[in-house]
Amino acid sequence: MIVTLTANPSLDRTVELLGPLERGEVQRAVAVRQESGGKGVNVSRALAASGIPTLAVLPGDPQDPLLAGLDAAEVPYVALPIGASLRSNVTLTEPGGVTTKINEPGPELTAEVQAALIELLDEKSSNAHWVVLAGSLPPGVPMDFYAQTVRHIRSHGTAGHIPLIAVDSSGEPLAASIAAGPESAPDLLKPNAEELAELATLAGLENVGTAEELEADPRLAAQAAAAVVRLGVGAVLATLGAGGAVLVTTEGAWLATHPPITAVSTVGAGDSALAGYLLAASTGASPQDCLRQAVAHGSAAASLPGSTVPTLEQSHPESVTITDLNN
């Protein structure tokens, strides 16, 4: 079982444009899609699509359209009523996969609701193999919320079982996940190149390079990820856009690349990559094969419209090349 927590879920509306976005002009949409989302929700959607047991934990009232979307998609979930509507996000996609996102802040969560959400997650993850903490944080939630949640889960684990924990966020919540010390460091971090550059700087690595330089130089990206691992993080899965992904653990570093695809929408591709990694990890696969499935899943997602998640059959891990970066 893989349990996900999405503190700031969203109803994602994707508008596909026929040509490039023209500011200040009237443009016609050629297609519109609406899906229940948020990083953790997307991970659960991708896992459910591939038949992997999962449960999405999130705030939301029973009548909220986002929950209705999860019902329609047959994604298992448990929601904590908060007496407020969840947010809606809008994504504009241009030919070639260029995307523009407009994200609402989401409803404010009180300290009482935050505590109840952590307790609900703790209850539902008692037998989980992995717990995923993902996405932005809504108003009212402290930036170290994920670090707090990691400590809570580990301190309340039942005898002989503490789930592995993955974190996928950005900005201050992501930085706080490594700043609070090894006891709060997750077993897996999934940054993109921009986030990896920020984390490596916080880890004390000088001249780490820009996001563009990390995407172009996987060995530099591996060096940055290794600096984060030294802070107590179990593994770093760094997605590098068209450059594939790098996985760094205490045991080594590897690069995975996929043959070029026709990108339709990159929205949610990173979430699908994380789902692919966890899908493989749940079967006891090696780190290299977990990385292989991550890149296969992420590439499949980028070739689909909107924030559509791929099934296992739509991914092609046999097409992924693994390069050992340890030498």
Side-chain angles (χ1 to χ4, degrees):
M1 170 68 77
I2 299 172
V3 179
T4 65
L5 171 66
T6 310
N8 202 17
S10 59
L11 193 62
D12 292 336
R13 187 175 178 86
T14 303
V15 180
E16 182 181 343
L17 301 177
L18 185 61
L21 175 65
E22 299 178 16
R23 294 182 60 190
E25 300 297 327
V26 175
Q27 292 179 257
R28 302 293 182 184
V30 295
V32 178
R33 300 178 64 89
Q34 183 168 284
E35 290 154 328
S36 299
K39 281 186 172 296
V41 168
N42 289 342
V43 171
S44 280
R45 287 173 52 224
L47 292 169
S50 293
I52 302 300
T54 185
L55 180 70
V57 176
L58 67 160
D61 294 344
Q63 297 79 22
D64 198 283
L66 190 151
L67 300 187
L70 291 180
D71 287 329
E74 298 183 344
V75 177
Y77 69 88
V78 58
L80 178 72
I82 58 173
S85 298
L86 298 173
R87 63 177 179 154
S88 296
N89 294 339
V90 176
T91 298
L92 305 177
T93 65
E94 305 172 45
V98 176
T99 60
T100 302
K101 296 196 68 177
I102 304 172
N103 292 349
E104 295 182 7
E108 182 171 351
L109 300 186
T110 66
E112 292 75 17
V113 169
Q114 295 169 38
L117 197 58
I118 292 176
E119 289 294 342
L120 180 61
L121 175 67
D122 189 32
E123 174 192 340
K124 298 301 180 181
S125 60
S126 59
N127 294 313
H129 184 196
W130 280 91
V131 169
V132 179
L133 312 177
S136 64
L137 297 177
V141 178
M143 293 298 102
D144 66 345
F145 178 76
Y146 288 145
Q148 292 181 33
T149 305
V150 171
R151 290 194 297 270
H152 183 95
I153 291 175
R154 287 178 176 162
S155 64
H156 288 73
T158 57
H161 178 75
I162 298 176
L164 297 170
I165 302 174
V167 172
D168 182 6
S169 189
S170 59
E172 291 186 61
L174 181 61
S177 68
I178 67 169
E183 69 278 0
S184 301
D187 299 286
L188 176 68
L189 271 180
K190 199 226 69 64
N192 58 25
E194 181 178 355
E195 294 155 358
L196 177 60
E198 295 174 357
L199 288 172
T201 299
L202 291 173
L205 189 64
E206 298 181 358
N207 303 318
V208 64
T210 65
E212 291 75 15
E213 290 171 331
L214 294 180
E215 289 184 348
D217 186 347
R219 291 189 180 276
L220 184 61
Q223 181 183 359
V228 179
V229 169
R230 286 194 291 271
L231 294 180
V233 175
V236 173
L237 171 65
T239 51
L240 305 176
V246 163
L247 175 67
V248 177
T249 72
T250 56
E251 299 178 353
W254 303 271
L255 165 71
T257 55
H258 191 284
I261 63 166
T262 300
V264 176
S265 172
T266 59
V267 178
D271 306 330
S272 287
L274 177 55
Y277 181 97
L278 297 175
L279 186 156
S282 67
T283 67
S286 67
Q288 297 94 320
D289 284 339
C290 291
L291 175 61
R292 187 188 305 277
Q293 189 61 56
V295 169
H297 246 70
S299 297
S303 68
L304 298 173
S307 58
T308 305
V309 296
T311 63
L312 185 60
E313 290 72 22
Q314 289 174 306
S315 70
H316 298 284
E318 72 281 358
S319 299
V320 175
T321 300
I322 301 292
T323 302
D324 192 329
L325 300 178
N326 297 297
N327 300 319

